[in-house]
Amino acid sequence: MLAILAKIWIVFSLTIIFLGYFQAYNDGGWDGLWQKISSFEPRKLIGYIIFLAPGFVLLWYSKED
C-alpha cells in the first residue's frame, strides 16, 4: 500500500514540476521554455527535492517490509 502511495506522490510531484515548464512553452514557445530553463536557480532545485522527498522516503520505507 505504501509503495502505491509513494508512486502516486512521485508522479504527482513530477507532474506539478513539469507543468511549469509546459506552461512556459505554451506562453512563449521555445523562447519561453529556454527563458525558464536558463533562469533556473539552485534554490528551485532544493524546493523540487523537498517536494519529491516524501514520495521517495515512502518508497524506500515500503521496500523494507
Side-chain angles (χ1 to χ4, degrees):
M1 180 65 185
L2 283 178
I4 294 170
L5 182 62
K7 290 174 186 175
I8 290 171
W9 182 263
I10 292 169
V11 169
F12 170 75
S13 301
L14 289 174
T15 302
I16 296 298
I17 290 169
F18 288 121
L19 276 177
Y21 291 95
F22 293 140
Q23 184 64 38
Y25 175 75
N26 286 336
D27 288 345
W30 290 109
D31 291 332
L33 181 60
W34 178 248
Q35 184 179 7
K36 180 147 179 93
I37 292 170
S38 63
S39 68
F40 186 80
E41 300 172 1
R43 183 177 55 194
K44 290 181 184 177
L45 182 61
I46 293 169
Y48 293 161
I49 291 170
I50 291 171
F51 194 51
L52 285 165
F56 285 108
V57 169
L58 282 174
L59 192 61
W60 175 72
Y61 183 72
S62 69
K63 298 287 184 186
E64 290 187 353
D65 292 333

